[in-house]
């Protein structure tokens, strides 16, 4: 091993340390920005080192330089533009696109290596090469479909057809079976078929998954991308890729598990799909009772004279893009001395932690954004719980067995002294069952679009108690 | 004593997974979106792999693969870091510009979290 190899390898270790340290600093919102800077520095070092290696290796043609630099500049420009212009509500789509290109690039690294090595490739290298190609291709097409569903370009409802599961299994079998055969008998043409089967599997895997399951799907695809990048590291023998890929794989796996737990579903159940079609869960009758609706003025008075208000934002708030309106109402209440906090369920929004970003964008200070386990004991002390576009995650039916959501962790909204629910209609949530919270005598329903309701509430507070 | 490269690689991979689990399980739910976005930028390291393709590419297919891989990976790494930074910049301990009427609440907040009935 030459001195050059020693130095570059040590620099890669330094870069990898920066990634770990950067992630470590993300355990607190106060230090998270420094974490991102540490990680960026690590990446800059790693890329500069790679450039030095490319020069040191020599043998790169002029065309090679041109395609590499042109590709990198084009990609960097596109990445920079989308990162600067993306709306915070569209973050899940962007993350999905980055998963897609990351997985795609990892697969291409292996494809090139395989074609370059030809028949001389060793069996152990073949295994990681094929894993990289298959996982990378599945991530690429699956993430594109997920982004399309999130953007509304592709039907976000579960898209399925008779025998879809057979097709799914068939494609997986072709990709894996043929991949295994290729380890024994290398063939570039057959590799093409493996790629096509893996791409098709990515599509058929994500199509039947409904929009509400997206937090799990994005996390899972994130874990896949990480794994694909780690495999690319095995293929080209680069530890920086292995370490970085493993870190991302770990992060994606943790988030996938957290999201699935918060939705009370197993990962397998989500991937198999079919849930959320509306007919999957027969409604189990709750205790019954009548619904009490409320007008803006009465709701405003309740809020203005409360000493503690907990706001429960749900997917409906994000869909109505009412994060700025809710923050304005909260500011108004706080200026009257009301203590306001936000109770955030883990699956509020369309990706892990999405609601926090939306509220942070609306200038809500993060100490007010409280996690479920942290805020649940405080509901009993709240004068008003204001539920905006959240449904299943507030349903007390989850506490007893025998319902579609039994066992799902919920926010203890029903413990508050009074409850105001802003909702467009009595329609069911994602689980398709009645919400027992709505018939609670303490609950008042305010039927309106979240954005309009919050604006009306704020102006009613101003007029009535100015 | 020297070990086969694959064994060393697997060791690094498995230990890195554990480091990842350890570090990431401490990230609060509030930061899960920036965390995923940061993880996204970290897997942009695949740009290193994409750059090395260009070294051994010597035919049209090789050049096309090198170009697309470099473009994908660069979009991943640049976009990932920029958007993560943009998001983290929005997380503030207290409102950046307190509304004039809200000075009371801000004062209370600066003395720690206001307790029940602080009104």
């Amino acid at each position: 091993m030459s001195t050059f190899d020693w130095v570059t390898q040590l620099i890669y270790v330094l870069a990898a340390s920066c990634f770990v340290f950067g992630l470590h600093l993300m355990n607190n919102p106060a230090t998270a920005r420094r974490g991102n800077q540490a990680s960026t520095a690590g990446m800059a070092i790693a890329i500069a080192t790679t450039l030095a290696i490319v020069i040191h290796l020599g043998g790169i043609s002029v065309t090679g330089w041109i395609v590499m630099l042109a590709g990198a500049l084009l990609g960097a420009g596109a990445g920079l533009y989308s990162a600067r212009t993306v709306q915070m509500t569209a973050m899940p789509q962007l993350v999905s696109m980055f998963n897609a290109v990351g997985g795609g690039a990892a697969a291409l690294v292996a494809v090139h290596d395989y074609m370059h090595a030809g028949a001389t490739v060793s069996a152990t290298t073949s295994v990681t090469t094929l894993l990289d190609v298959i996982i990378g291709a599945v991530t690429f097409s699956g993430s594109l479909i997920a982004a399309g569903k999130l953007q509304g370009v592709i039907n976000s409802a579960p898209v399925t057809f008779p025998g879809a599961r057979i097709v799914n299994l068939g494609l997986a079998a072709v990709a894996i079976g043929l991949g295994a055969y290729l380890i024994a008998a290398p063939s570039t043409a057959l590799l093409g078929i493996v790629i096509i089967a893996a791409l098709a599997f990515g599509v058929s895997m994500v199509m039947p998954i409904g929009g509400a399951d997206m937090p799990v799907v994005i996390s899972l695809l994130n874990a896949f991308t990480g794994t694909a990048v780690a495999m690319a590291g095995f293929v080209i023998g680069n530890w920086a890729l292995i370490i970085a890929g493993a870190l991302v794989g770990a992060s994606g796996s943790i988030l996938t598990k957290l999201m699935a737990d918060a939705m009370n579903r197993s990962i397998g159940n989500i991937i198999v799909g079919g849930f959320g079609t509306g007919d999957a869960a027969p409604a189990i009758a709750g205790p019954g009772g009548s619904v009490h609706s409320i007008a803006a003025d009465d709701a405003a008075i309740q809020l203005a004279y409360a000493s503690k208000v907990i706001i429960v934002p749900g997917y409906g708030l994000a869909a109505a893009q009412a994060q700025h309106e809710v923050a304005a109402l909260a500011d108004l209440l706080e200026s009257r001395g009301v203590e306001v906090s936000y109770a955030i369920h883990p699956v509020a929004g369309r990706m892990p932690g999405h609601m926090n970003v939306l509220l942070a964008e609306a200038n809500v200070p993060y100490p007010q954004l409280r996690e479920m386990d942290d805020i649940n004991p405080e509901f009993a002390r709240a004068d008003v719980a204001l539920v905006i576009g959240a449904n299943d995650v507030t349903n007390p039916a989850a506490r007893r067995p025998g319902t579609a959501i039994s066992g799902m962790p919920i926010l203890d909204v029903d413990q508050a002294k009074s409850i105001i629910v802003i909702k467009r209609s009595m329609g069911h949530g994602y689980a398709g069952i009645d919400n027992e919270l709505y018939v609670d005598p303490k609950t008042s329903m305010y039927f309106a679009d979240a954005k309009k309701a919050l604006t009306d509430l704020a102006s009613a507070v101003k007029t009535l108690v100015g | 004593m020297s070990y086969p490269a694959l064994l060393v690689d697997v060791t690094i991979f498995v230990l890195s997974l554990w480091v990842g689990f350890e570090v990431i399980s401490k990230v609060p739910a509030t930061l899960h979106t920036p965390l995923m976005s940061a993880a996204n930028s970290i897997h942009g390291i695949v740009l290193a792999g994409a750059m090395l393709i260009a070294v051994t590419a010597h035919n049209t297919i090789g050049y096309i693969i090198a170009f697309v891989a470099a473009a994908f990976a660069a979009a991943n790494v640049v976009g990932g870091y920029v958007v993560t930074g943009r998001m983290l910049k929005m997380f503030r301990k207290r409102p950046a510009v307190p509304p004039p009427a809200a000075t009371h609440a801000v004062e209370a907040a600066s003395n720690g979290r206001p307790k029940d009935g602080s009104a």
Side-chain angles (χ1 to χ4, degrees), chain A residues 22-55:
Chain A
L23 287 171
H24 168 74
L25 288 178
M26 289 198 77
N27 65 13
N28 185 337
T31 56
R33 276 186 83 183
R34 267 192 290 140
N36 192 48
Q37 286 156 2
S39 184
T40 312
M43 187 60 72
I45 296 169
I47 299 304
T49 308
T50 312
L51 200 58
I53 292 175
V54 169
I55 295 167

Side-chain angles (χ1 to χ4, degrees), chain A residues 289-361:
Chain A
S290 60
V291 168
H292 166 219
S293 74
I294 193 171
D297 289 358
D298 294 332
I301 288 185
Q302 271 194 47
L303 289 169
Y305 289 103
S307 66
K308 181 176 173 67
V309 170
I310 299 179
I311 298 175
V312 181
Y315 175 63
L317 179 95
Q321 304 219 15
Q323 66 270 31
H324 294 282
E325 283 72 15
V326 75
L329 176 66
D331 276 346
L332 186 63
L333 294 175
E334 283 201 309
S335 71
R336 293 185 42 83
V338 181
E339 184 198 335
V340 181
S341 40
Y342 296 80
I344 318 270
H345 192 272
V347 291
R350 301 200 108 177
M351 68 181 286
H354 193 197
M355 187 59 72
N356 298 278
V357 173
L358 295 178
L359 291 171
E361 188 197 14

Side-chain angles (χ1 to χ4, degrees), chain A residues 20 23-24 26-29 32-33 36 39-40 43 46-47 50-51 54 58-61 63-64 67-68 70-72 75-76 79-80 83-84 86 88 91 94-95 98-99 101-102 106 108-109 112 115-116 124 140 218-219 222 225 229-230 234 236 239 241-244 246-248 250-251 254-255 258 334-335 337 339 351-354 356-357 360-361 363 365-367 371 381, chain B residues 6 8-10 12-13 16-17 19-21 23-36 38-58 61-63 65-97 99 101-102 105 113-116 119:
Chain A
V20 175
L23 287 171
H24 168 74
M26 289 198 77
N27 65 13
N28 185 337
R33 276 186 83 183
N36 192 48
S39 184
T40 312
M43 187 60 72
I47 299 304
T50 312
L51 200 58
V54 169
I60 179 168
S61 63
T63 322
V67 291
M68 181 180 89
L80 191 63
R84 285 244 174 99
V86 68
M88 285 303 138
M91 266 313 293
L94 187 68
V95 166
F98 288 153
N99 277 338
V101 291
L108 288 173
V109 168
H112 174 76
M115 288 169 59
H116 185 71
T124 46
F140 179 71
I218 293 182
S219 310
N222 193 230
T225 317
V229 170
F234 279 96
I236 61 170
W239 291 348
L241 263 69
I242 298 179
I243 298 171
L247 292 173
V248 180
S251 157
I254 290 178
L255 291 174
L258 284 175
E334 283 201 309
S335 71
E339 184 198 335
M351 68 181 286
H354 193 197
N356 298 278
V357 173
E361 188 197 14
N363 214 10
Y366 65 79
E371 291 179 28
R381 289 195 291 116
Chain B
L6 184 65
V8 176
D9 290 354
V10 170
I12 292 176
F13 178 68
S16 303
L17 268 180
V19 169
F21 284 133
V23 171
I24 287 150
S25 54
K26 295 192 177 74
V27 176
T30 312
L31 290 178
H32 277 169
T33 294
L35 166 70
M36 189 177 277
N40 245 326
S41 16
I42 291 174
H43 68 56
I45 185 74
V46 71
L47 178 58
M51 288 163 73
L52 292 169
I53 293 180
V55 178
T56 47
H58 291 294
I61 296 177
Y63 290 136
I65 291 179
F67 178 80
V68 176
F72 275 7
N76 186 170
V77 72
V78 174
Y81 279 113
V82 172
V83 84
T84 309
R86 218 184 114 194
M87 267 192 282
L88 290 173
K89 220 159 109 183
M90 299 185 315
F91 280 84
R92 297 185 191 92
K93 199 150 193 168
R94 48 189 73 88
V97 188
R113 202 194 301 290
K115 290 289 169 236
D116 196 6

